[in-house]
Amino acid sequence: MNVISRSSTRQRRRMGALAVAVIAIVGLSACSSGMETTEGPAAAGPKSGKLTIAYLQKQGDQQYFVDQADGAKAAAAELGDVDIKVVNLGTDSNKAISELDSVIAQKVDGIVIVVPDQQIGPQVIEAAKAAGIPLMASDDIIADASGTEAPFSGFDGTSMGELVGGEAARLYAEAGWTAADTRIISAYKQDLTACTQRVEGAAASFGDAVSDMPEVVDIGTDNSATDAQNKAGAIITANAGVKNWVVWGCNDESETGVVTALQNSGVAPANIIGVGLGAYLTCKDWAAGQDTGNKASLFISGAEVGKAAINSMVGLLRDGTALPPVSIANTEIVNADNWEEKGVVCT
Amino acid sequence: MPTTQSTATLRSQPPIETGARPGVFRRVLEVVGVQNISLLMAIALVVAVIGSQNALFFTVGNLRVIGTAIAISGLLAVVQTIVIIMGALDISVGSIAGLTSVSSAMIFTATGPFLGVVGAVGIGMLCGLLNGCIIVFGRVNPVIATLATLAAYKGVAQLISDGRAQGYTGADGFFVFLARGSILGVPTLILVLVIIALLAHVVLRYTSIGRNIYAVGGNDIASRLAGININRYLIGVYVATGAVAAIAGVLITARTGSGQPVSGSEGLELEAITAAALGGAALKGGKGTIAGTILAVILLGILTNGMTLLGVNSFWQNVAKGALLVLAVVIQQLRSGERRIGLPG
């Protein structure tokens, strides 16, 4: 009994000390609700000397974004005394915020960001504003909580899709196919807003251009060629009687994967109209002179977007030229005949 | 704990049927195994459900589609099973496949298909050797070691390719044969999987090497005392895993027509582990069969194909696959009759 009561007294005393310590810590440290708005330093005037610009990119390991980073670095080298810090965010919104905080802490002079998800736009804009660092969105438009969009350099997902759909419709009309013996396969990563915008744009412009719209079959892929190939196999089985196929997708991987699956199942290239997006994989068939269902592709030059973003950002930092609210880079449809002259680089 | 083990074995014994021909039933059960029978039943159920909704499911064309779709993940699942039987894990197989995919295409472009394949397999074996050495000589837990090389090998693949898809193999006879060819009507992709799986099955079941692998996974101290050179076995299994992952990489190149550093290989390691676990391999080692893994790969392949065939939304497909795995492993655990104390093994 004695032992137990003594140990419980000691325990109670220890708990008391702990409670006092906790109260002291809470009382002494300044509390933060996280809701305070910090007024950032006033936008700095023109800067001379070395500039560091952070280029944060989603899916930084994809060829398009690698090109974009190269374009940004090339522009920086041309301008002189500009350092580009490229950060790969993957598809992780949480990582995007941490990396943003990190470059802000490193006191970079400007930030260009391709967000993994447009929903994080308000946080991104707020954080850059609080730190007084100019921010530019690349590829995907972002807006703050009140709906004001950040300056943007890149392409417009919907209009990219519209060009793809328009080209597919043109080839469809040219081939003289009918809705009855045709199916459209639309392959994309279904939880990516950028992808849905593209394929919806494609379907809309295709529908506008033709009088009878064939049935559209959506395929959810992880945006890789192998997955598109696997999923398309089942769709081809499910539509055994179909003669002609129109294919588009979120990127070249998805589109070429479906076209390969169609060709493997015995559909002749003449019965496939595949319109890619990016042209970096479709060009491989063209370079090899293959008879292929990949008939055309929308060429988007990541390098151009990267260059444009860095030029605008350096213009603001050096000369105080305001960032242009929107700069849409050129995109164009290329095919087996003209891809080289249009500047598609095929590795 | 010999007592627990013996009760566990007793409890996992299937009740003997007292029907008309108990002998036959028991013999079949012993040859095929309860685990595999339940997988076969699951496959039959899924096939019946999908087939009743869409008769096209049963066409030869669709069976080929399912077979070629599971070939790459199946290869990785087979070697993952061997690694798991040894009581280890290899998370880096997807990255090795990516690295070898892009390097096979690059070597192919520079030299030719033969060296492309040989070079890729060589690189895969080197990656496996490195994994094995880190684990054995660095004394690092296999999960951590291969988690590290998962990132490192992916990085190397991106470095050498500059993040771009490399080369074009769509016009080369050998790569086209791998991707679309067939022998006696069986697609090459499926044949490659069948050959590797048979090889692994024979080694595990009928050779002393296989028995020793089970022994090391079952009880490493006992097997060391019995004179098995554990380190040699660990390194050997990781080298073999690297080689097979390289073959998977070559197949990715063949299927996509170019070497892909990341696309198509990312996430394959999880698919492989899923299939092995579903097939009855115990992550603590010493248990698992190639047949079980192959049946699990087929089940997953049929499920994916069938759900796409029936137009099931891809988000639901993920939920269905996850639910299936949970169900399977819970049933497995309950059947094993393990002690219900602490963290499950």
Side-chain angles (χ1 to χ4, degrees):
Chain A
M1 272 308 274
N2 208 2
V3 179
I4 294 170
S5 80
R6 209 183 301 156
S7 81
S8 74
T9 319
R10 208 182 299 154
Q11 209 168 14
R12 226 177 293 148
R13 230 179 270 161
R14 227 180 276 163
M15 289 299 285
L18 192 69
V20 170
V22 168
I23 292 167
I25 290 169
V26 170
L28 290 175
S29 65
C31 297
S32 167
S33 68
M35 294 286 287
E36 297 86 357
T37 48
T38 35
E39 204 47 55
K47 289 183 185 173
S48 55
K50 194 163 193 67
L51 294 176
T52 306
I53 298 171
Y55 212 123
L56 300 114
Q57 301 172 301
K58 72 171 176 191
Q59 296 171 290
D61 47 12
Q62 275 196 359
Q63 187 162 339
Y64 168 82
F65 289 108
V66 173
D67 287 346
Q68 188 177 63
D70 288 347
K73 284 176 191 158
E78 215 167 277
L79 291 161
D81 231 7
V82 180
D83 242 4
I84 303 293
K85 196 179 156 53
V86 179
V87 183
N88 178 11
L89 307 176
T91 50
D92 188 341
S93 296
N94 183 38
K95 186 171 186 218
I97 300 292
S98 337
E99 293 291 352
L100 180 72
D101 288 342
S102 157
V103 295
I104 287 174
Q106 292 164 30
K107 297 196 170 24
V108 294
D109 299 295
I111 298 170
V112 185
I113 185 168
V114 190
V115 288
D117 191 313
Q118 285 157 309
Q119 295 301 324
I120 64 169
Q123 279 98 314
V124 170
I125 294 173
E126 188 52 48
K129 207 165 127 193
I133 299 174
L135 173 90
M136 196 168 184
S138 163
D139 295 85
D140 291 318
I141 293 171
I142 51 173
D144 66 13
S146 65
T148 317
E149 287 176 0
F152 170 76
S153 161
F155 309 103
D156 172 17
T158 309
S159 61
M160 280 200 291
E162 282 167 0
L163 286 171
V164 168
E167 176 68 6
R170 192 185 67 76
L171 292 167
Y172 172 80
E174 206 175 86
W177 297 351
T178 59
D181 59 5
T182 308
R183 287 280 183 290
I184 298 175
I185 292 185
S186 169
Y188 60 106
K189 194 161 190 293
Q190 296 181 322
D191 52 2
L192 267 192
T193 322
C195 283
T196 10
Q197 282 173 349
R198 291 176 194 180
V199 294
E200 277 169 9
S205 73
F206 193 97
D208 288 345
V210 299
S211 50
D212 55 340
M213 176 88 172
E215 187 189 322
V216 180
V217 186
D218 282 319
I219 302 184
T221 73
D222 63 4
N223 271 354
S224 78
T226 40
D227 196 41
Q229 222 168 310
N230 293 342
K231 299 279 170 65
I235 298 296
I236 297 162
T237 308
N239 295 278
V242 175
K243 190 173 160 225
N244 302 314
W245 298 85
V246 175
V247 184
W248 60 62
C250 181
N251 55 5
D252 252 18
E253 279 88 349
S254 292
E255 184 266 342
T256 55
V258 175
V259 169
T260 309
L262 284 167
Q263 290 180 174
N264 287 355
S265 75
V267 179
N271 295 102
I272 305 168
I273 294 175
V275 183
L277 208 156
Y280 46 88
L281 287 182
T282 43
C283 70
K284 290 180 184 291
D285 278 344
W286 304 334
Q290 290 278 300
D291 185 18
T292 170
N294 296 308
K295 295 288 155 52
S297 189
L298 183 72
F299 175 43
I300 48 176
S301 165
E304 290 303 318
V305 176
K307 272 184 203 165
I310 294 306
N311 282 331
S312 311
M313 187 57 84
V314 172
L316 168 78
L317 294 170
R318 286 259 159 83
D319 320 317
T321 319
L323 291 172
V326 181
S327 33
I328 302 285
N330 268 333
T331 53
E332 53 186 336
I333 294 285
V334 294
N335 57 33
D337 302 321
N338 65 3
W339 62 276
E340 270 173 305
E341 65 188 78
K342 299 286 186 190
V344 178
V345 180
C346 221
T347 47
Chain B
M1 286 263 179
T3 16
T4 331
Q5 260 177 9
S6 63
T7 38
T9 341
L10 277 178
R11 248 183 273 169
S12 65
Q13 286 290 332
I16 299 161
E17 280 284 323
T18 45
R21 300 172 68 187
V24 175
F25 179 78
R26 201 167 170 196
R27 236 179 295 148
V28 170
L29 209 59
E30 266 170 15
V31 172
V32 186
V34 183
Q35 174 73 30
N36 294 350
I37 295 233
S38 48
L39 278 169
L40 281 170
M41 275 158 56
I43 291 175
L45 183 73
V46 173
V47 165
V49 170
I50 297 167
S52 69
Q53 302 289 314
N54 193 330
L56 289 166
F57 176 77
F58 294 113
T59 54
V60 176
N62 194 45
L63 295 183
R64 287 172 65 115
V65 164
I66 297 174
T68 48
I70 62 175
I72 291 169
S73 59
L75 279 177
L76 296 180
V78 165
V79 279
Q80 192 69 256
T81 306
I82 304 178
V83 178
I84 290 177
I85 289 172
M86 280 207 75
L89 205 62
D90 190 343
I91 306 183
S92 70
V93 284
S95 288
I96 298 181
L99 173 60
T100 49
S101 166
V102 80
S103 49
S104 69
M106 291 174 83
I107 301 173
F108 160 76
T109 314
T111 58
F114 178 72
L115 280 181
V117 175
V118 171
V121 172
I123 291 172
M125 290 171 84
L126 266 181
C127 292
L129 181 68
L130 186 61
N131 278 343
C133 288
I134 295 172
I135 294 163
V136 167
F137 302 117
R139 308 300 309 152
V140 182
N141 178 296
V143 177
I144 306 300
T146 53
L147 195 61
T149 51
L150 161 87
Y153 295 151
K154 193 205 270 184
V156 174
Q158 289 165 333
L159 267 179
I160 60 170
S161 65
D162 202 11
R164 296 159 197 274
Q166 293 291 325
Y168 182 79
T169 59
D172 180 78
F174 178 69
F175 279 96
V176 170
F177 171 69
L178 279 183
R180 295 200 288 272
S182 59
I183 296 174
L184 299 173
V186 182
T188 324
L189 282 166
I190 301 178
L191 279 176
V192 173
L193 173 61
V194 168
I195 291 168
I196 299 283
L198 272 180
L199 216 62
H201 175 76
V202 167
V203 168
L204 279 181
R205 188 137 190 184
Y206 301 106
T207 66
S208 58
I209 297 175
R211 275 193 294 280
N212 288 348
I213 289 176
Y214 277 104
V216 172
N219 188 334
D220 53 351
I221 295 170
S223 48
R224 201 180 73 92
L225 292 175
I228 299 173
N229 187 337
I230 297 182
N231 287 358
R232 195 183 290 169
Y233 272 85
L234 273 173
I235 292 180
V237 163
Y238 273 95
V239 170
T241 307
V244 175
I247 295 174
V250 171
L251 294 184
I252 292 175
T253 303
R255 288 197 82 195
T256 57
S258 55
Q260 306 284 340
V262 179
S263 181
S265 56
E266 212 167 26
L268 279 180
E269 58 282 339
L270 292 183
E271 278 180 37
I273 296 170
T274 306
L278 192 57
L283 285 185
K284 61 188 166 194
K287 201 174 143 228
T289 59
I290 299 297
T293 300
I294 289 292
L295 285 176
V297 167
I298 293 174
L299 176 60
L300 288 170
I302 289 177
L303 202 64
T304 310
N305 175 275
M307 285 191 290
T308 313
L309 192 69
L310 299 182
V312 177
N313 178 306
S314 69
F315 304 157
W316 275 112
Q317 293 191 14
N318 288 335
V319 175
K321 274 190 218 164
L324 175 76
L325 183 64
V326 169
L327 195 71
V329 288
V330 167
I331 291 174
Q332 251 173 54
Q333 284 302 101
L334 295 183
R335 243 193 48 220
S336 76
E338 206 180 75
R339 287 197 309 161
R340 295 167 163 264
I341 300 169
L343 273 176

